[in-house]
Amino acid sequence: MVGLDRTTRALCVSPFHFDGSFATLFPPVAAGGSLVIPPGESQLFRRYFFRTLARERITLTGLSPSYLRLLLASPHLAGLADSALDILPLGGEACPASDIAKLWDTAPRVRLFNQYGPTETTIRGEPLRDHPRGSRPGRGHLDREAPSGQHVPPRRRERTPHRRAGPGRRAAHRRRPLMSGYWGAPKLTAQALRTDVVPGQTVYRTGDLARRDHDGNYVYVDRADGVVKRHAVRISLVELGEVLCALPGVTAATCVAYDDDGDFGIAAFVVTAGRGPVEQRSLAELGRATSERLPATMLPDVIETVDVLPMTSSNKVDERRLLAEARLRASGHA
């Protein structure tokens, strides 16, 4: 990020155990700026967020896309345009282009940095310069200063069913891993800590797909488990959620793959504008509206309405909780 100095005032809304908080913790302090940390869980209240933004003259804050979606639905959103907010890193999840467009419609001068990329070591965020209407969401970036630490192995066929093999390849970190393995999970350890990728080295094989561009940058493409393949059709769960969010009366939506007797299905969890339980008639209308916008191969197998999308302590959508409450079993894609 550029433009940080002694006048920078950063608001940290992410818990410290979440590495997404680092963008609003360390760079502002290193630049001699000020850091504002809200008390307790008060950052979860949208009114408090906008009040703090104005009172503390915040110029920088970092958000997860799920948290941003909560703010976009706030009646206080208009206050964003009058605030001093200048820099907004987004990371932790793929951010739908429609949410970015709505943010810029409200506050076009806010500089956005896409820090959604390599899961294990995001080195820097790529600034978003173009209005993202119609663009594909979730594009990330690996810093060009990382060739000694990043490795994209020669192209080979992915063996995991339903997983997307291209246009990127699985990225691995070549620097010496700090961990010795996953506790009580030898199979998972063997999958992650590999000795057959770079001769003579143990590397951490990530779940990220990456490629190198003509300038030598390592460009993040997608998560290996972020796109599912069904009926020979690749389906982005993020883009599917975007379609659902565009339906009348829908304020938020997310899609999660679940285990359907050894196969996998797609469950859509939708938040509607109304309060209280949704009638079956409304669910039927929601399903009908979805079928009018999507081909049959991409339709969710299950549509569940929820009051809110629950979040983890890292401010990401808690997909496992959604599946558990719907009495669905998580698949390898959840």
Side-chain angles (χ1 to χ4, degrees), residues 39 63 71 80 87 92 176 224 245 258 300-301 303 329:
L63 305 174
L71 299 179
L80 193 63
I87 300 175
R176 181 181 178 183
C245 284
Y258 67 95
D301 301 285
I303 298 179
R329 292 177 297 183

Side-chain angles (χ1 to χ4, degrees), residues 8 22 27 51 65 78 87 94 98 126 128-129 150-151 154 160 174 185 197 204 231 233 243 245 259 273 288 320:
T8 299
F22 295 173
R51 186 184 304 161
I87 300 175
S98 57
E126 183 74 356
L128 298 178
R129 299 182 179 90
Q150 300 288 343
H151 177 73
T160 305
R174 292 175 56 185
V197 177
Y204 184 90
H231 309 304
V233 177
V243 173
C245 284
D259 185 359
R288 186 162 51 251
R320 293 193 177 275

Side-chain angles (χ1 to χ4, degrees), residues 244-263:
L244 294 170
C245 284
L247 296 178
V250 174
T251 59
T254 191
C255 293
V256 186
Y258 67 95
D259 185 359
D260 186 12
D261 292 330
D263 200 350

Side-chain angles (χ1 to χ4, degrees), residues 45-58:
F45 298 97
R46 295 172 293 176
R47 179 180 300 179
Y48 182 90
F49 174 89
F50 288 106
R51 186 184 304 161
T52 304
L53 204 67
R55 183 182 66 243
E56 300 291 343
R57 305 184 306 281
I58 298 300

Side-chain angles (χ1 to χ4, degrees), residues 109-298:
R109 62 180 179 78
V110 173
R111 290 186 292 165
L112 294 177
F113 285 80
N114 182 17
Q115 291 189 327
Y116 175 62
T119 303
E120 290 78 12
T121 54
T122 300
I123 298 175
R124 70 174 170 87
E126 183 74 356
L128 298 178
R129 299 182 179 90
D130 301 322
H131 207 283
R133 291 192 185 279
S135 66
R136 295 185 61 190
R139 292 289 175 173
H141 191 268
L142 293 174
D143 198 300
R144 69 174 305 166
E145 297 174 1
S148 62
Q150 300 288 343
H151 177 73
V152 178
R155 185 176 298 277
R156 61 184 178 185
R157 183 178 180 180
E158 289 289 334
R159 298 183 180 275
T160 305
H162 314 303
R163 285 190 174 179
R164 174 181 177 179
R169 285 163 284 166
R170 293 283 285 273
H173 295 304
R174 292 175 56 185
R175 294 191 178 97
R176 181 181 178 183
L178 297 179
M179 72 171 189
S180 59
Y182 292 101
W183 182 265
K187 290 184 179 180
L188 184 59
T189 298
Q191 292 173 1
L193 297 180
R194 304 289 291 268
T195 58
D196 58 345
V197 177
V198 179
Q201 294 187 33
T202 298
V203 303
Y204 184 90
R205 190 165 185 256
T206 75
D208 298 317
L209 297 176
R211 61 178 173 82
R212 294 194 71 175
D213 63 15
H214 296 297
D215 296 324
N217 295 313
Y218 286 82
V219 181
Y220 174 86
V221 177
D222 211 333
R223 284 293 291 180
D225 53 355
V227 175
V228 296
K229 189 174 183 180
R230 183 173 64 171
H231 309 304
V233 177
R234 291 190 178 96
I235 304 170
S236 169
L237 298 181
V238 174
E239 293 177 358
L240 183 55
E242 271 199 286
V243 173
L244 294 170
C245 284
L247 296 178
V250 174
T251 59
T254 191
C255 293
V256 186
Y258 67 95
D259 185 359
D260 186 12
D261 292 330
D263 200 350
F264 80 98
I266 297 176
F269 297 92
V270 178
V271 179
T272 60
R275 293 180 177 271
V278 178
E279 298 177 356
Q280 290 299 319
R281 178 179 55 84
S282 299
L283 271 176
E285 291 174 354
L286 190 60
R288 186 162 51 251
T290 305
S291 64
E292 292 174 354
R293 291 164 172 78
L294 293 171
T297 53
M298 295 183 65

